[in-house]
Amino acid sequence: MAKVRIYQLAKELGMENAELLEILNEMGVSYKSHASTLEDETAQAVKEIIAEQRGLEEQRRREEEAKRAEEARKALPHRPPVVVIMGHVDHGKTSLLDYLRKSRIAEREAGGITQHVGAFEVKTKGGTVVFIDTPGHEAFTSIRQRGARVADIAVIVIAADDGIMPQTKEAIAHAKAAGAKIIFAANKMDLPQANLDKVYQDLMREQFVPEAYGGDAIVVPISAKTGQGVADLLDMILLVAELEDLRADPEAEPKGVILEARVDKQAGVLASMLVQEGTFRVGDYLVAGEVWGKIRAMRDSDDNQRKEAPPGSAVQVLGFSELPHAGEVVHWVPDQVAAKEIAEERILERKDREAGAETGLRARNIADLL
Ligand code: GTP
Ligand code: MG
């Protein structure tokens, strides 16, 4: 390789001559001026030093950026944890949700009407917990298939008279894949045949070491029937949530996820939405997948009309043009023009994809025939 002059190398490295001369001084390289030539090895060594310096600078810059982002996050208000209840058939998912819902109704003076909005809140002294109202895997899976992250925590119900069953394992796999923290609820502890040790041993076989055995898997014994242990379960959920340090920006551009949707003969499309970021307001335009809407009204699970829905609230939204899919991410958009255009774009994109897939399929069939 040809020898290189100092000023040429400086230019190549995008630095001032003086800077490079200083490095050469530090390296103990002698030269006459910036027009002097450098040996190949010297030039190479200089390049390595510069690369290392720049790498360090870049790393420092990235660390600083991460620190700033973390500081900004720390300045945001906390949001309630969102919890999904999963488990094997008949292990008590619905009973637990019912118990939580009922105890919540009993707490309120008025009692009575509760609206089905896909999720409900349980308020405790330690804070609020949002429970997704649909037990079972389907809702969770369909939501996850659309790439939305909904639940922060999965409570996996295991009947203590039965132990871990196939769908318990499925639930564990789903929760893990979704990145949700897992809390096990050993249910039906009121039954004489309940065997907490068997639940522990079953968990060990799934690589979860219960706290009782010196591990860190959280297992709360409960009875969804009598309510025994349910308060402990709520405490544990709030503890895990605190460690997760869940926060959301109520001022950010609003974002949420569709929990479920149905058509009401009178009202039209009713969609349950969990707000994850920002604050949705009546009159806002939104897009959920290929469907757009304008929020005409919102209702919470206490059947109250809501003008605003901040992060962590689950509301029933009136005003979608068509039925959105469960699990679809909901984005705020500035106006009707944007809403319609984005929805139409997505429909076209899907049709293109489908047409593409079909052509591919046909081509393959023809290829098969040849
Ligand atoms: P699927 O929706 O079919 O998967 O069942 P699930 O997990 O929702 O169970 P569900 O709440 O329907 O409970 C199944 C049966 O167990 C019902 O007969 C409940 O009454 C009973 N059960 C649920 N929890 C308890 C409990 O803590 N103690 C007792 N003794 N029975 C319970
Ligand atoms: Mg059920």
Side-chain angles (χ1 to χ4, degrees):
M1 211 168 76
K3 287 188 175 177
V4 64
R5 293 187 191 279
I6 293 176
Y7 68 81
Q8 286 173 325
L9 183 61
K11 194 170 170 208
E12 187 189 325
L13 292 170
M15 58 200 298
E16 296 293 322
N17 289 335
E19 276 179 87
L20 182 51
L21 291 176
E22 202 169 307
I23 290 172
L24 291 170
N25 289 342
E26 275 169 31
M27 289 168 73
V29 178
S30 54
Y31 54 84
K32 267 204 210 130
S33 77
H34 59 272
S36 306
T37 52
L38 294 174
E39 294 296 330
D40 240 8
E41 304 92 84
T42 315
Q44 208 48 49
V46 167
K47 282 183 191 171
E48 274 162 28
I49 289 172
I50 299 292
E52 191 174 323
Q53 276 182 0
R54 288 188 180 160
L56 284 175
E57 264 165 40
E58 176 62 18
Q59 194 184 334
R60 213 169 305 137
R61 205 181 53 73
R62 257 189 253 136
E63 277 168 10
E64 212 135 277
E65 218 166 77
K67 211 171 98 189
R68 261 201 303 278
E70 180 57 17
E71 268 164 19
R73 205 187 73 81
K74 288 267 185 222
L76 296 175
H78 280 107
R79 64 165 178 85
V82 179
V83 180
V84 67
I85 294 179
M86 297 196 290
H88 191 71
V89 186
D90 275 356
H91 277 200
K93 303 175 290 290
T94 304
S95 302
L96 178 56
L97 279 167
D98 283 349
Y99 185 87
L100 288 162
R101 218 182 283 122
K102 261 190 254 127
S103 59
R104 175 179 152 281
I105 296 166
E107 270 166 26
R108 293 186 297 123
E109 292 287 301
I113 329 153
T114 52
Q115 191 75 25
H116 189 68
V117 300
F120 62 91
E121 289 177 8
V122 174
K123 290 200 163 71
T124 76
K125 277 189 222 87
T128 301
V129 181
V130 177
F131 284 93
I132 306 254
D133 210 345
T134 355
H137 309 175
E138 291 97 75
F140 193 57
T141 311
S142 78
I143 286 172
R144 209 159 55 70
Q145 273 165 354
R146 292 190 158 74
R149 197 194 142 153
V150 179
D152 305 297
I153 297 170
V155 169
I156 297 182
V157 176
I158 306 171
D161 62 340
D162 206 14
I164 288 187
M165 300 305 276
Q167 280 177 285
T168 318
K169 293 183 192 174
E170 249 175 58
I172 291 171
H174 281 310
K176 273 189 182 167
K181 292 282 158 203
I182 295 176
I183 295 177
F184 296 100
N187 190 33
K188 309 200 186 184
M189 287 303 293
D190 59 291
L191 294 176
Q193 64 271 36
N195 184 349
L196 191 55
D197 272 325
K198 171 158 188 320
V199 175
Y200 287 161
Q201 277 147 26
D202 284 359
L203 281 169
M204 296 281 283
R205 237 169 275 130
E206 301 301 315
Q207 327 307 327
F208 288 97
V209 184
E211 284 177 327
Y213 286 12
D216 59 5
I218 304 169
V219 187
V220 186
I222 64 160
S223 165
K225 192 176 171 187
T226 68
Q228 164 202 343
V230 175
D232 298 334
L233 179 63
L234 285 167
D235 282 349
M236 216 29 116
I237 289 169
L238 286 165
L239 192 70
V240 170
E242 201 183 312
L243 293 175
E244 291 289 288
D245 196 30
L246 307 167
R247 294 169 192 269
D249 186 355
E251 309 298 333
E253 194 171 292
K255 206 181 124 227
V257 61
I258 300 288
L259 296 172
E260 49 189 68
R262 64 188 171 88
V263 180
D264 181 273
K265 280 208 191 82
Q266 262 116 54
V269 175
L270 294 175
S272 305
M273 170 175 73
L274 175 74
V275 182
Q276 298 179 304
E277 195 78 59
T279 303
F280 279 102
R281 297 185 170 84
V282 170
D284 281 353
Y285 286 90
L286 27 69
V287 179
E290 299 178 356
V291 178
W292 69 275
K294 179 187 183 178
I295 304 179
R296 282 196 274 141
M298 291 189 290
R299 240 171 230 269
D300 63 20
S301 57
D302 292 333
D303 207 30
N304 294 320
Q305 291 283 342
R306 295 273 290 263
K307 290 255 174 283
E308 296 189 336
S313 37
V315 284
Q316 192 179 65
V317 174
L318 189 65
F320 274 104
S321 56
E322 281 164 77
L323 210 58
H325 289 287
E328 212 77 79
V329 175
V330 186
H331 287 286
W332 175 93
V333 287
D335 50 43
Q336 183 162 339
V337 174
K340 280 188 166 170
E341 189 169 326
I342 294 168
E344 275 163 21
E345 245 173 50
R346 289 180 176 169
I347 292 171
L348 285 178
E349 276 167 18
R350 173 177 51 80
K351 288 192 172 151
D352 276 356
R353 266 199 313 276
E354 284 168 0
E358 202 158 290
T359 324
L361 210 63
R362 233 179 286 136
R364 224 180 307 142
N365 288 342
I366 291 168
D368 284 346
L369 292 174
L370 291 174

